[in-house]
Protein backbone atom coordinates (compact mmCIF):
# COMPACT_ATOMS: atom_id res chain seq x y z
CA UNK A 1 0.00 0.00 0.00
CA UNK A 2 1.57 3.27 -1.16
CA UNK A 3 1.43 6.70 0.45
CA UNK A 4 -1.57 7.95 -1.64
CA UNK A 5 -3.60 4.86 -0.71
CA UNK A 6 -2.72 5.29 2.98
CA UNK A 7 -3.73 8.97 2.85
CA UNK A 8 -7.04 8.10 1.19
CA UNK A 9 -7.68 5.35 3.75
CA UNK A 10 -7.04 7.77 6.61
CA UNK A 11 -9.49 10.26 5.08
CA UNK A 12 -12.16 7.56 4.80
CA UNK A 13 -11.56 6.49 8.39
CA UNK A 14 -11.82 10.03 9.77
CA UNK A 15 -15.01 10.75 7.81
CA UNK A 16 -16.50 7.46 9.02
CA UNK A 17 -15.74 8.39 12.64
CA UNK A 18 -17.64 11.66 12.33
CA UNK A 19 -20.51 10.11 10.34
CA UNK A 20 -20.98 7.50 13.08
CA UNK A 21 -20.72 10.18 15.78
CA UNK A 22 -23.33 12.29 13.99
CA UNK A 23 -25.65 9.28 13.78
CA UNK A 24 -25.41 8.30 17.45
CA UNK A 25 -25.51 11.88 18.69
CA UNK A 26 -28.74 12.43 16.73
CA UNK A 27 -30.37 9.46 18.49
CA UNK A 28 -29.45 10.97 21.85
CA UNK A 29 -30.55 14.49 20.88
CA UNK A 30 -33.98 13.33 19.73
CA UNK A 31 -34.44 11.14 22.80
CA UNK A 32 -33.59 14.16 24.96
CA UNK A 33 -36.15 16.29 23.13
CA UNK A 34 -38.78 13.60 23.77
CA UNK A 35 -38.13 13.27 27.49
CA UNK A 36 -35.28 10.77 27.94
CA UNK A 37 -32.09 12.42 29.24
CA UNK A 38 -30.03 9.20 29.53
CA UNK A 39 -27.71 9.96 26.59
CA UNK A 40 -27.34 13.61 27.63
CA UNK A 41 -26.33 12.66 31.18
CA UNK A 42 -23.72 10.25 29.76
CA UNK A 43 -22.26 12.93 27.47
CA UNK A 44 -23.32 11.14 24.30
CA UNK A 45 -24.91 14.13 22.56
CA UNK A 46 -21.66 15.25 20.98
CA UNK A 47 -19.76 14.92 17.71
CA UNK A 48 -16.63 13.99 19.66
CA UNK A 49 -15.82 10.49 18.27
CA UNK A 50 -14.15 9.44 21.53
CA UNK A 51 -17.56 9.37 23.24
CA UNK A 52 -18.97 6.94 20.63
CA UNK A 53 -16.06 4.58 19.94
CA UNK A 54 -16.68 0.85 19.93
CA UNK A 55 -13.30 -0.95 19.93
CA UNK A 56 -14.38 -3.50 17.31
CA UNK A 57 -16.85 -1.60 15.13
CA UNK A 58 -15.19 1.82 15.19
CA UNK A 59 -11.51 0.90 15.27
CA UNK A 60 -10.67 -2.72 14.46
CA UNK A 61 -13.11 -3.41 11.62
CA UNK A 62 -12.43 -0.16 9.67
CA UNK A 63 -8.66 -0.62 10.02
CA UNK A 64 -8.89 -4.22 8.77
CA UNK A 65 -11.05 -3.00 5.86
CA UNK A 66 -8.41 -0.41 4.95
CA UNK A 67 -5.62 -2.98 4.93
CA UNK A 68 -7.53 -5.67 3.05
CA UNK A 69 -9.15 -3.25 0.55
CA UNK A 70 -12.70 -4.35 1.35
CA UNK A 71 -15.54 -1.77 1.55
CA UNK A 72 -15.20 0.43 4.62
CA UNK A 73 -17.99 -0.01 7.15
CA UNK A 74 -18.31 -0.01 10.91
CA UNK A 75 -20.48 0.91 13.84
CA UNK A 76 -20.30 3.02 16.97
CA UNK A 77 -21.26 2.29 20.57
CA UNK A 78 -25.09 2.25 20.66
CA UNK A 79 -26.66 5.32 22.24
CA UNK A 80 -28.46 4.39 25.48
CA UNK A 81 -32.18 5.19 25.35
CA UNK A 82 -34.67 4.49 28.14
CA UNK A 83 -38.02 4.26 26.35
CA UNK A 84 -39.88 4.29 29.70
CA UNK A 85 -39.27 8.06 29.75
CA UNK A 86 -41.22 8.60 26.53
CA UNK A 87 -44.77 9.94 26.76
CA UNK A 88 -45.87 8.22 23.54
CA UNK A 89 -43.82 5.03 23.35
CA UNK A 90 -44.37 4.04 19.71
CA UNK A 91 -44.19 7.54 18.21
CA UNK A 92 -41.21 8.65 20.28
CA UNK A 93 -39.30 5.41 19.72
CA UNK A 94 -39.77 5.73 15.95
CA UNK A 95 -38.72 9.40 15.94
CA UNK A 96 -35.63 8.65 18.05
CA UNK A 97 -34.73 5.77 15.74
CA UNK A 98 -35.21 7.81 12.55
CA UNK A 99 -33.06 10.64 13.90
CA UNK A 100 -29.87 8.63 13.23
CA UNK A 101 -30.42 7.90 9.51
CA UNK A 102 -31.92 11.38 8.94
CA UNK A 103 -28.80 12.97 10.44
CA UNK A 104 -26.65 11.05 7.94
CA UNK A 105 -28.85 12.20 5.06
CA UNK A 106 -28.34 15.78 6.29
CA UNK A 107 -24.60 15.09 6.52
CA UNK A 108 -24.58 13.90 2.91
CA UNK A 109 -26.47 16.99 1.73
CA UNK A 110 -24.15 19.32 3.66
CA UNK A 111 -21.15 17.57 2.09
CA UNK A 112 -22.73 18.05 -1.35
CA UNK A 113 -23.25 21.76 -0.68
CA UNK A 114 -19.58 22.11 0.33
CA UNK A 115 -18.55 20.38 -2.93
CA UNK A 116 -20.64 22.88 -4.89
CA UNK A 117 -18.99 25.76 -3.02
CA UNK A 118 -15.53 24.33 -3.79
CA UNK A 119 -16.47 24.00 -7.46
CA UNK A 120 -17.64 27.62 -7.58
CA UNK A 121 -14.55 29.10 -5.93
CA UNK A 122 -12.07 28.60 -8.78
CA UNK A 123 -11.48 26.74 -12.07
CA UNK A 124 -9.17 24.27 -10.31
CA UNK A 125 -11.84 23.72 -7.68
CA UNK A 126 -14.34 22.88 -10.40
CA UNK A 127 -11.92 20.44 -12.02
CA UNK A 128 -11.23 18.83 -8.65
CA UNK A 129 -14.90 18.33 -7.82
CA UNK A 130 -15.85 17.03 -11.24
CA UNK A 131 -12.87 14.67 -11.33
CA UNK A 132 -13.92 13.21 -7.99
CA UNK A 133 -17.52 12.97 -9.20
CA UNK A 134 -16.40 10.99 -12.26
CA UNK A 135 -13.76 8.78 -10.62
CA UNK A 136 -15.27 8.37 -7.18
CA UNK A 137 -12.80 7.29 -4.47
CA UNK A 138 -11.12 4.56 -6.49
CA UNK A 139 -7.77 6.31 -6.14
CA UNK A 140 -5.88 9.60 -6.09
CA UNK A 141 -4.92 11.52 -9.23
CA UNK A 142 -1.25 12.51 -8.59
CA UNK A 143 -1.24 15.20 -11.29
CA UNK A 144 -4.37 16.87 -9.95
CA UNK A 145 -3.03 16.58 -6.40
CA UNK A 146 0.12 18.44 -7.46
CA UNK A 147 -1.95 21.06 -9.28
CA UNK A 148 -4.46 21.54 -6.48
CA UNK A 149 -3.05 20.46 -3.08
CA UNK A 150 -6.00 22.01 -1.22
CA UNK A 151 -9.14 21.87 -3.40
CA UNK A 152 -8.59 18.30 -4.59
CA UNK A 153 -8.09 16.69 -1.14
CA UNK A 154 -11.06 18.66 0.21
CA UNK A 155 -13.17 17.47 -2.72
CA UNK A 156 -12.23 13.87 -1.95
CA UNK A 157 -12.99 14.26 1.76
CA UNK A 158 -16.44 15.73 1.19
CA UNK A 159 -17.26 13.25 -1.57
CA UNK A 160 -16.41 10.50 0.90
CA UNK A 161 -18.75 12.34 3.28
CA UNK A 162 -21.56 12.09 0.73
CA UNK A 163 -20.95 8.41 0.06
CA UNK A 164 -20.48 7.18 3.64
CA UNK A 165 -23.38 9.19 5.05
CA UNK A 166 -25.76 7.93 2.35
CA UNK A 167 -24.60 4.36 2.91
CA UNK A 168 -24.97 4.57 6.70
CA UNK A 169 -28.46 6.07 6.39
CA UNK A 170 -29.69 3.39 3.97
CA UNK A 171 -27.96 0.45 5.68
CA UNK A 172 -29.36 1.35 9.09
CA UNK A 173 -32.90 1.43 7.69
CA UNK A 174 -32.77 -2.27 6.77
CA UNK A 175 -35.37 -4.10 8.91
CA UNK A 176 -32.80 -6.46 10.43
CA UNK A 177 -32.03 -6.60 14.18
CA UNK A 178 -30.21 -4.76 15.66
CA UNK A 179 -30.25 -2.06 12.93
CA UNK A 180 -32.42 1.04 13.30
CA UNK A 181 -34.88 -0.25 10.73
CA UNK A 182 -35.74 -3.18 12.97
CA UNK A 183 -36.95 -0.82 15.74
CA UNK A 184 -39.42 0.70 13.31
CA UNK A 185 -40.42 -2.57 11.64
CA UNK A 186 -41.15 -4.37 14.91
CA UNK A 187 -43.82 -1.77 15.74
CA UNK A 188 -45.66 -2.98 12.62
CA UNK A 189 -45.61 -6.66 13.56
CA UNK A 190 -48.29 -8.55 15.49
CA UNK A 191 -47.36 -9.05 19.13
CA UNK A 192 -47.10 -12.84 18.75
CA UNK A 193 -44.39 -12.49 16.09
CA UNK A 194 -42.09 -10.25 18.13
CA UNK A 195 -40.28 -12.99 20.12
CA UNK A 196 -39.34 -14.77 16.87
CA UNK A 197 -38.27 -11.54 15.17
CA UNK A 198 -36.13 -10.46 18.13
CA UNK A 199 -34.33 -13.83 18.10
CA UNK A 200 -33.25 -13.72 14.45
CA UNK A 201 -29.67 -13.50 15.71
CA UNK A 202 -27.28 -15.30 13.36
CA UNK A 203 -29.80 -15.23 10.50
CA UNK A 204 -29.95 -11.44 10.70
CA UNK A 205 -26.14 -11.28 10.68
CA UNK A 206 -26.04 -13.61 7.66
CA UNK A 207 -28.54 -11.46 5.76
CA UNK A 208 -26.58 -8.29 6.58
CA UNK A 209 -23.25 -9.77 5.49
CA UNK A 210 -24.38 -11.39 2.25
CA UNK A 211 -27.26 -9.20 1.11
CA UNK A 212 -27.12 -5.98 3.14
CA UNK A 213 -24.44 -4.28 1.06
CA UNK A 214 -26.14 -5.03 -2.25
CA UNK A 215 -29.57 -3.91 -1.07
CA UNK A 216 -28.09 -0.78 0.48
CA UNK A 217 -26.23 0.21 -2.70
CA UNK A 218 -29.41 -0.38 -4.72
CA UNK A 219 -30.98 2.34 -2.53
CA UNK A 220 -27.94 4.62 -2.53
CA UNK A 221 -26.98 4.49 -6.23
CA UNK A 222 -29.96 6.49 -7.60
CA UNK A 223 -29.34 9.28 -5.08
CA UNK A 224 -25.59 9.18 -5.64
CA UNK A 225 -26.16 9.22 -9.40
CA UNK A 226 -28.32 12.33 -9.08
CA UNK A 227 -25.64 14.04 -6.98
CA UNK A 228 -22.99 13.17 -9.59
CA UNK A 229 -25.08 14.57 -12.43
CA UNK A 230 -25.57 17.74 -10.40
CA UNK A 231 -21.84 18.14 -9.77
CA UNK A 232 -20.89 17.43 -13.37
CA UNK A 233 -23.39 20.03 -14.60
CA UNK A 234 -21.83 22.90 -12.60
Amino acid sequence: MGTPEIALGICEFVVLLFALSLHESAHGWMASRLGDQTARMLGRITLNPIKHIDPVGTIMLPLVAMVTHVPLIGWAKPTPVNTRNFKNFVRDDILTTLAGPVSNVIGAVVSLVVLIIIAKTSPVGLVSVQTVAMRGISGLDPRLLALSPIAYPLSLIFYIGVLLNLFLAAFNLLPLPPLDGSHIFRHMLPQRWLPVYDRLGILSLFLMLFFGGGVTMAMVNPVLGFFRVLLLSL
Side-chain angles (χ1 to χ4, degrees):
M1 183 183 292
T3 301
E5 289 78 15
I6 293 174
L8 185 59
I10 292 173
C11 289
E12 292 178 1
F13 180 66
V14 171
V15 173
L16 178 66
L17 283 180
F18 282 98
L20 292 172
S21 299
L22 176 64
H23 183 102
E24 296 301 331
S25 180
H27 284 313
W29 178 83
M30 183 58 75
S32 176
R33 297 281 294 180
L34 296 173
D36 176 42
Q37 306 303 324
T38 306
R40 183 176 295 279
M41 290 188 295
L42 293 173
R44 295 294 304 278
I45 305 180
T46 175
L47 294 181
N48 180 0
I50 295 175
K51 293 290 186 176
H52 305 285
I53 285 177
D54 176 273
V56 175
T58 316
I59 304 296
M60 186 181 302
L61 186 62
L63 290 178
V64 170
M66 288 168 53
V67 173
T68 57
H69 304 289
V70 300
L72 183 67
I73 192 62
W75 61 83
K77 185 168 55 176
T79 299
V81 174
N82 187 347
T83 56
R84 289 178 294 181
N85 292 322
F86 292 153
K87 295 179 181 178
N88 185 323
F89 169 70
V90 174
R91 182 202 66 187
D92 295 351
D93 187 44
I94 290 175
L95 288 175
T96 299
T97 299
L98 283 175
V102 168
S103 72
N104 288 128
V105 172
I106 293 172
V109 172
V110 169
S111 297
L112 176 68
V113 171
V114 174
L115 286 171
I116 294 173
I117 293 172
I118 293 173
K120 294 294 186 180
T121 55
S122 65
V124 73
L126 178 60
V127 172
S128 298
V129 169
Q130 293 190 335
T131 299
V132 171
M134 287 187 293
R135 294 184 51 169
I137 56 174
S138 57
L140 292 171
D141 185 331
R143 290 175 298 178
L144 187 54
L145 183 60
L147 178 66
S148 178
I150 296 177
Y152 181 52
L154 285 177
S155 299
L156 273 171
I157 289 170
F158 283 100
Y159 188 81
I160 293 170
V162 169
L163 183 58
L164 286 182
N165 274 293
L166 287 178
F167 188 90
L168 284 173
F171 186 77
N172 274 284
L173 286 175
L174 296 178
L176 298 171
L179 299 178
D180 291 338
S182 69
H183 290 269
I184 300 170
F185 186 66
R186 75 188 308 277
H187 288 302
M188 306 175 188
L189 293 175
Q191 189 70 28
R192 66 181 182 277
W193 292 2
L194 293 181
V196 176
Y197 182 66
D198 291 338
R199 289 198 299 266
L200 282 177
I202 192 67
L203 176 59
S204 179
L205 179 61
F206 174 84
L207 292 172
M208 277 189 279
L209 288 176
F210 290 95
F211 300 103
V215 174
T216 300
M217 289 312 299
M219 293 188 287
V220 167
N221 280 333
V223 180
L224 190 60
F226 171 75
F227 284 2
R228 281 174 173 163
V229 169
L230 180 61
L231 294 173
L232 292 173
S233 66
L234 294 174

